[in-house]
Amino acid sequence: MIQGTLARLALAVLALAVLLLAVGLAVTVGEMPVAPLAAAKAVSNGLFGTAFPLDPIQEGVIWDYRLSRALVAAGCGAALALSGTVLQALLRNPLAEPYLLGVSAGASTGAVAVMILGVGGGALSLSGGALIGAAAAFALVALLAAGAGGGSDRIILAGVAGSQLFNAVTSYLVTSFADAEQARGVMFWLLGSLGGVRWPDVHLALPVAVIGFAVCLLHARALDAFTFGADAAASLGIPVLRLRVLLFGLTAAMAAAMVSIVGSVGFIGLVVPHAARFLVGPGHARLLPAAFLMGAVVMVLADIVSRIIIPQQILPIGVVTALFGAPAFAVILFRARRPA
């Protein structure tokens, strides 16, 4: 018992160390290389108010651009991986993730409506528009799935239909109401972009990810029961309907918040839960922390690749996650194949 606890604690410390290493790498790597000592001094000046002498431009790049960008990437990756893990358990479907269920497409539509049409008259923020769009998509998918019988496969099909609908609405808004500069900016953002994130985005992304993680971890045992089906969960005294509403709503809110910050980033919520499950097993008390930390690390590394893979050009981070995520998911499917 004690050895098992110590082993889990050691793994947690190791995972956190890997995450810190990835964030440190994101701060030092780029078109303007930064020495680790200079990065440490800039972070100390920003966090603790020290006065280490640094070039103002270099300090601004480290603190205002790279560190905030890395922290937002970590929060978004963690939240998306967490959402995918929860949805796969609730629906008992290995393909479930926020993007496949239409939540992210709806959030994108809501955010684009605020950006281009000015919906809300300035009173509605980008995050608020994304949340409303995600809620609308969630409601539509739920209605379609209920009308079709309510099974997990019906929910996936309804999510695909909802995604196509909201993606079409987004494309219509961009092509009909945006000028050339707006259209270019929106399309780049929809592919996933961390270029414009700053510290206010950190103050949204990290609390959403941490609170979502805490709520999901409180229901880890219930998620274990859901993997055997809703009837099995109900027989154990779990309030199935209430828990489903809570966790579906939570994943929709997390996806909406992240889409409002970075746009659509695919494959994190699909691939990372499978990879984490392969490493630590299906028990959600271990799986949720593993997916949370692994999603954060993968997203930070993807951001680094997006900044250095092409000299003097930054790729949309959604392109990077798709380029690496699709082959990774193919490998996972190949390893999980069952003999006939």
Side-chain angles (χ1 to χ4, degrees):
M1 184 71 176
I2 295 178
Q3 289 181 344
T5 302
L6 290 176
R8 287 194 293 271
L9 182 60
L11 285 175
V13 171
L14 177 62
L16 287 172
V18 171
L19 177 57
L20 290 175
L21 181 62
V23 172
L25 190 63
V27 171
T28 56
V29 172
E31 289 187 14
M32 184 181 76
V34 174
L37 181 59
K41 288 180 178 179
V43 172
S44 176
N45 288 348
L47 286 180
F48 307 114
T50 53
F52 291 112
L54 286 172
D55 177 69
I57 295 178
Q58 188 180 57
E59 186 169 10
V61 168
I62 296 170
W63 178 258
D64 294 321
Y65 177 67
R66 290 185 182 173
L67 181 60
S68 60
R69 182 178 177 128
L71 292 178
V72 168
C76 288
L80 293 175
L82 189 65
S83 296
T85 303
V86 171
L87 289 174
Q88 287 170 14
L90 290 177
L91 297 175
R92 301 179 66 200
N93 192 309
L95 296 178
E97 63 154 342
Y99 295 95
L100 194 61
L101 294 180
V103 173
S104 297
S108 298
T109 301
V112 168
V114 172
M115 280 193 293
I116 294 178
L117 300 181
V119 172
L124 189 63
S125 66
L126 200 66
S127 300
L131 183 58
I132 292 173
F138 177 68
L140 176 63
V141 170
L143 287 173
L144 289 175
S152 63
D153 56 339
R154 298 295 189 270
I155 295 176
I156 295 293
L157 293 174
V160 171
S163 294
Q164 295 299 317
L165 173 62
F166 281 96
N167 285 334
V169 173
T170 301
S171 299
Y172 172 74
L173 292 177
V174 173
T175 55
S176 300
F177 299 102
D179 56 35
E181 185 176 351
Q182 280 182 320
R184 183 180 182 278
V186 167
M187 295 310 295
F188 192 85
W189 175 79
L190 287 175
L191 290 172
S193 173
L194 287 162
V197 301
R198 294 296 182 267
W199 282 103
D201 300 305
V202 177
H203 301 153
L204 174 62
L206 291 186
V208 166
V210 171
I211 292 171
F213 172 69
V215 173
C216 292
L217 196 60
L218 286 174
H219 297 92
R221 291 184 179 274
L223 288 170
D224 286 340
F226 268 105
T227 59
F228 297 100
D231 292 338
S235 68
L236 294 174
I238 294 171
V240 171
L241 180 61
R242 181 165 61 86
L243 193 61
R244 271 183 166 172
V245 170
L246 171 65
L247 294 179
F248 276 132
L250 180 64
T251 55
M254 286 194 292
M258 301 313 158
V259 168
S260 71
I261 299 171
V262 303
S264 296
V265 180
F267 282 98
I268 297 293
L270 180 62
V271 173
V272 171
H274 288 283
R277 198 175 289 112
F278 175 76
L279 290 176
V280 302
H284 284 83
R286 299 186 304 274
L287 179 59
L288 291 172
F292 184 82
L293 292 171
M294 189 178 295
V297 171
V298 168
M299 191 76 162
V300 172
L301 295 179
D303 178 50
I304 295 173
V305 172
S306 75
R307 292 190 281 115
I308 66 174
I309 191 171
I310 300 178
Q312 299 182 340
Q313 185 175 344
I314 298 177
L315 280 180
I317 194 168
V319 174
V320 176
T321 57
L323 285 174
F324 288 92
F329 189 60
V331 170
I332 291 171
L333 289 177
F334 181 77
R335 292 182 65 93
R337 74 192 190 280
R338 296 177 180 177

